[in-house]
Every structure is written in structure tokens, then in C-alpha cells.
Amino acid sequence: MFDPSPPQACSIDALSMSLQMRDQYTRFHCDRVELLGDQLGRLCDLDDAQRTHLTLAARFHDIGKIGIPDNVLLHPARLDDEQRAIMRTHPERGERIFAATGRPDADEVARLIRAHHEAVDGSGYPDGLKGNDIPLGARVLTIVDSYDAMTTARPYRGAMPHAKAMGILAGLQGGQVDPDVFAQFVRLMDGQP
């Protein structure tokens, strides 16, 4: 008798394949962010369920880019204001896509995906959340996403050295970046227990 995989597993596999086929950079970026996010989540004392939500959100935080037109997603230079506005819709698109998986934890994961560009000072998007109104998993995701984006080559610039990326993130504390989560990220990067 044929016993197919659970529908949620199929949905996740389909999302992974979609992301990979859409844009190789985004797929590998998400893989790296997932690994860093899990490590940082441990240092931030997230429990097993929260870390599972975080790693899924990290893996699919950019899934909403599937709906971004090529002339924006693959643009070989910095985006203009109109293009940036389009790109900024990807967290909401990603939230809707992940929520459609039907997983029991879809809402929790989708919430982190939506919030991964929020900033602790309220200047982020899409909702302008501030401080602890941003889920801790999303504050972790903001840091590891930013770090990986800076330290890998993009179509419009080369990879940034580790020390420079860490300096930029340090300067964003209290603005885009949660200072307490950043302190744990420094521990992670320094290999401290």
C-alpha cells in the first residue's frame, strides 16, 4: 500500500524547490541564514519549538521574492525608490506563501517571515514594529540575514570583510538591531561559549 509523505513535508519541499529555481543566490543565502539563525537562537535561549520556527523562517524568509519581478530582483545595481518599494513587499508576500503551507506552526513561522525587516527603533517594515513588539526570532533573523547579505557578493558589489560587517551591525544597535541579540551574535562570531 502506498504511503505518501505528509502534505506539510511536500509543501516545504515544493517551497525549497521554488526558491532554488527562482534565484540561486537567494536559496544559498537562506541556507546560510538558517544555520546562523539556529546557532544564535540557542544563545538567545529560544526553546526547541521557537528554534524550529526560527529555522523555518530563516530558510524561507525570502520566499516572497518569488513574486518580485526580475527587473527588480536581479537588478545589477542599487535599487531606485520605486524598485525598493516593490522589493519591500517580499516579507508580506512571504508571510502569505508560508501561511498557505497548512502546517500547524504556519502562523508562527509566517509571523517571523513578515517581521524580519522590522527595526527595534520602529523604522523597519512592513508594520513599523518597535522593540519587544518584534518577535525575538525575527530580531535574531534580522541580524543573521544582514550579516550574510553583507559578507557575500551581490550583483552590485563584492563581499564585505567580516570585521567591516560586524562594525556596521554594531553601529545599527538600537536602530535596526537589538543590542542584546547583537551581543549574543558577537559571542557566536567570537566562538565564545
Side-chain angles (χ1 to χ4, degrees):
M1 182 175 192
F2 179 70
D3 183 23
S5 298
Q8 291 89 3
C10 294
S11 295
I12 292 298
D13 291 344
L15 284 182
S16 289
M17 182 60 70
S18 298
L19 192 58
Q20 181 175 343
M21 292 178 79
R22 177 66 173 108
D23 175 29
Q24 284 289 329
Y25 170 81
T26 299
R27 186 279 173 105
F28 292 119
H29 164 69
C30 290
D31 289 347
R32 292 185 302 269
V33 170
E34 179 182 4
L35 292 172
L36 275 177
D38 184 54
Q39 294 170 349
L40 184 54
R42 284 180 196 277
L43 288 178
C44 291
D45 295 325
L46 294 179
D47 64 31
D48 290 344
Q50 291 170 316
R51 277 200 343 272
T52 297
H53 298 155
L54 170 59
T55 58
L56 278 168
R59 184 173 174 194
F60 296 109
H61 72 280
D62 281 340
I63 194 71
K65 289 183 178 179
I66 287 173
I68 302 297
D70 284 350
N71 68 323
V72 175
L73 183 64
L74 305 175
H75 191 69
R78 291 203 179 272
L79 301 177
D80 64 27
D81 290 343
E82 183 179 338
Q83 292 167 322
R84 193 173 302 106
I86 293 167
M87 184 64 85
R88 284 182 168 208
T89 65
H90 83 270
E92 295 164 278
R93 293 171 189 260
E95 173 193 36
R96 289 193 309 269
I97 290 168
F98 198 89
T101 64
R103 292 175 54 93
D105 60 357
D107 289 342
E108 284 301 312
V109 175
R111 184 170 160 242
L112 298 178
I113 291 170
R114 181 182 181 96
H116 81 275
H117 281 294
E118 297 291 353
V120 294
D121 67 358
S123 65
Y125 62 91
D127 301 310
L129 299 177
K130 193 173 189 176
N132 290 334
D133 290 339
I134 305 166
L136 179 56
R139 286 179 274 149
V140 167
L141 189 49
T142 295
I143 292 174
V144 296
D145 178 33
S146 298
Y147 176 80
D148 187 76
M150 287 188 279
T151 58
T152 54
R154 303 302 284 251
Y156 53 89
R157 63 152 175 78
M160 189 179 292
H162 165 78
K164 184 173 182 182
M166 292 300 284
I168 289 171
L169 287 170
L172 295 174
Q173 292 181 87
Q176 181 181 344
V177 170
D178 181 310
D180 295 329
V181 177
F182 181 69
Q184 297 304 323
F185 187 63
V186 170
R187 283 183 58 208
L188 175 64
M189 293 289 107
D190 289 346
Q192 297 174 11

